[in-house]
Amino acid sequence: MALGPCFRSALGLSFALGAAGACTAPSSESNAGTTGSASEPTATGASASSDAPALASSSAASTSTAPTGSSPPSVVSPEPQPMNTDSKPEPMLPASQEPTQSQGPMPAPPTPSADQPKPGQSGPADTSAMDASVPTGEPATPSGSSSSTGNTPFSFFAFGDAHAGQDATTDQTLVTAAEQMAALDPSAALAFSNGDLVEDSADGPWKTHDQAMQAGNFDATLTSLGTGTPYFAAMDNHDRGFPTERMDWLDQWTRHLPGQQALGHTAKDGVYYSFSYAGVLFIVLDSIHPSQAQNDWLVSVLEGPDAAAARVKLAFFHEPVYSCITDHPPFADGLPWVDTFETHGVKLVFVSHEHTYNRTCAMYHGACSEDAKAVVYQELGPLGAQNFRPTASGPFTASGKDASGAARSDTYSCTGDGSILLTNRDNINDFCHVSVDDCNVHGDCYIVGTNEAFDSWDVKACP
């Protein structure tokens, strides 16, 4: 029997999102890894099954054992696969759990045409910013068990550094990118914006951001899942105000991203949360507000029941620990996270921030490694921002502390012999279309305005 999607918030709220059905824990998966080399660009799509997977916010217990693995994640050459553009089933909220406020479904994406606007042309008319009122709540205390289930393949979009409101070219590029994504995979299960959504946390940039995401049919309210694609985001420095922090940045964030507020911690000291979808644990961290509380929360999630039930664990945050440009130093405060990823079976991490596209080898302690604990870092280039930055050689050193508080120093290079990078592209606006099928995570990454992937990769992501 097909299972209906289920949603459990980290604050204990439960939502049934589809046809009747119970959510059960997934069966154990194989730990076999795959090795290989960087792929040639191949435009592929991911299927979205009509057997809807479960959606649950992550909760974590206080005790568990770290998973062990037999092989590191690695990149292999994918075979082209046809894209399944079948529509998702239309999930519904039960009357007892209907939200008190909702923006309703976003409009359907426009049909792309041959005379689609190019960067630099005028964008769409202004629309009103979303004004759903949601509480920021108290810090979530992970508890309970996961309701994620099944091995149903699904796909999502990942992108970073939209910088809505930076200039006219940026704003039109965002609309073009969103329309491109909607045409590429209208049945994508999720969309992630990995920080710096706006140039400055003010009404104008946020309104521009909202209308661009609406062009992709991305739904930031999450309470209207029958139409469009749920939209989640990590935050960073521009999202709290630039060049100086704005007093009302948190109000802006919660007003324009109301749906994700029940998934974890949303407060002045940080925005971080987790949830499970179809046997995949998603962890979203806040690199502009690093803290011991966030470090402890990450460990609690990865040692909790949702992580134990998940076959794949993915992490998202804005600033890369292993920076490859001179303008931005390595994010050394993220070393405790790296250490936790390495010991808890996270095989793929998405970062952004540097306005260049980079993809690393499987890394352990700052070097390419075949160790079972190794992690791939996928750095997303800017979706809209036009201030590109070149990749530098290094060497660079990230010096800080590991998860236990002990000193840790990782030295690495980004070009030449010993480089951690498998792929690098400067001076492009891009996004990645990511599909998950059992233990395999496949990515096709596109330059905005082109229909052929410039980088394709696979990561065997089960620990």
Side-chain angles (χ1 to χ4, degrees):
M1 178 180 68
L3 298 177
C6 294
F7 173 90
R8 184 190 305 279
S9 82
L11 302 181
L13 302 176
S14 297
F15 300 89
L17 299 179
C23 294
T24 59
S27 59
S28 299
E29 301 297 332
S30 168
N31 289 337
T34 302
T35 60
S37 59
S39 68
E40 293 298 321
T42 305
T44 65
S47 62
S49 170
S50 59
D51 266 352
L55 171 63
S57 101
S58 276
S59 44
S62 59
T63 59
S64 182
T65 58
T68 60
S70 57
S71 62
S74 52
V75 181
V76 298
S77 299
E79 292 295 329
Q81 298 177 353
M83 180 171 66
N84 183 348
T85 58
D86 293 343
S87 297
K88 292 182 292 185
E90 295 189 359
M92 298 175 60
L93 293 172
S96 63
Q97 296 293 346
E98 286 183 354
T100 57
Q101 298 188 20
S102 171
Q103 288 299 115
M106 286 187 174
T111 302
S113 63
D115 58 351
Q116 178 174 309
K118 301 297 189 297
Q121 296 178 344
S122 59
D126 284 350
T127 58
S128 297
M130 288 179 287
D131 58 1
S133 175
V134 294
T136 57
E138 297 297 322
T141 302
S143 62
S145 60
S146 170
S147 58
S148 181
T149 185
N151 294 333
T152 305
F154 70 96
S155 61
F156 65 92
F157 290 107
F159 46 88
D161 292 283
H163 283 264
Q166 185 181 82
D167 56 35
T169 300
T170 294
D171 296 345
Q172 183 55 55
T173 301
L174 292 178
V175 173
T176 300
E179 291 175 343
Q180 182 179 350
M181 286 185 268
L184 178 67
D185 185 2
S187 61
L190 300 165
F192 278 93
S193 186
N194 206 29
D196 283 357
L197 284 64
V198 291
E199 178 70 11
D200 183 20
S201 184
D203 289 343
W206 272 114
K207 182 181 292 186
T208 299
H209 164 271
D210 291 347
Q211 64 190 28
M213 295 305 101
Q214 288 168 1
N217 206 22
F218 301 153
D219 185 358
T221 70
L222 186 62
T223 58
S224 300
L225 294 178
T227 301
T229 296
Y231 178 55
F232 298 83
M235 77 158 303
D236 208 71
N237 59 313
H238 282 264
D239 303 314
R240 67 177 187 180
F242 185 84
T244 58
E245 181 175 341
R246 291 180 178 266
M247 295 298 294
D248 67 341
W249 72 261
L250 186 61
D251 293 337
Q252 293 278 14
W253 182 266
T254 56
R255 184 184 310 123
H256 294 272
L257 296 162
Q260 68 186 47
Q261 306 311 319
L263 297 178
H265 182 82
T266 300
K268 284 279 190 177
D269 65 350
V271 175
Y272 46 92
Y273 58 96
S274 62
F275 63 97
S276 294
Y277 189 91
V280 179
L281 176 63
F282 291 82
I283 301 169
V284 183
L285 296 164
D286 185 341
S287 56
I288 198 63
H289 299 111
S291 65
Q292 187 59 48
Q294 189 173 183
N295 298 350
D296 294 342
W297 173 86
L298 173 63
V299 173
S300 72
V301 169
L302 286 171
E303 293 184 354
D306 290 334
R311 67 188 188 280
V312 172
K313 307 175 188 74
L314 306 176
F316 297 77
F317 56 92
H318 188 69
E319 299 183 24
V321 174
Y322 301 110
S323 171
C324 284
I325 67 169
T326 56
D327 287 0
H328 292 154
F331 174 52
D333 285 333
L335 282 171
W337 303 350
V338 170
D339 192 52
T340 301
F341 299 151
E342 291 173 349
T343 57
H344 289 75
V346 176
K347 300 299 184 185
L348 179 59
V349 174
F350 292 84
V351 295
S352 46
H353 187 53
E354 297 186 320
H355 299 196
T356 188
Y357 177 94
N358 291 318
R359 176 166 54 85
T360 75
C361 57
M363 295 178 63
Y364 181 63
H365 278 262
C368 297
S369 175
E370 295 185 1
D371 193 286
K373 297 178 181 179
V375 182
V376 173
Y377 294 88
Q378 172 66 62
E379 182 171 350
L380 305 162
L383 184 69
Q386 299 298 300
N387 52 329
F388 306 107
R389 302 184 180 100
T391 298
S393 177
F396 300 94
T397 300
S399 294
K401 296 181 179 181
D402 65 14
S404 71
R408 174 167 173 169
S409 183
D410 291 359
T411 299
Y412 59 95
S413 296
C414 297
T415 63
D417 293 341
S419 171
I420 63 171
L421 298 184
L422 295 180
T423 301
N424 161 252
R425 287 291 296 269
D426 295 332
N427 303 312
I428 61 171
N429 295 112
D430 64 83
F431 63 86
C432 291
H433 179 251
V434 183
S435 57
V436 183
D437 188 352
D438 196 28
C439 288
N440 192 66
V441 182
H442 173 81
D444 288 313
C445 300
Y446 295 83
I447 297 174
V448 173
T450 69
N451 293 320
E452 184 174 350
F454 70 90
D455 187 28
S456 295
W457 46 264
D458 285 81
V459 172
K460 198 71 170 179
C462 291

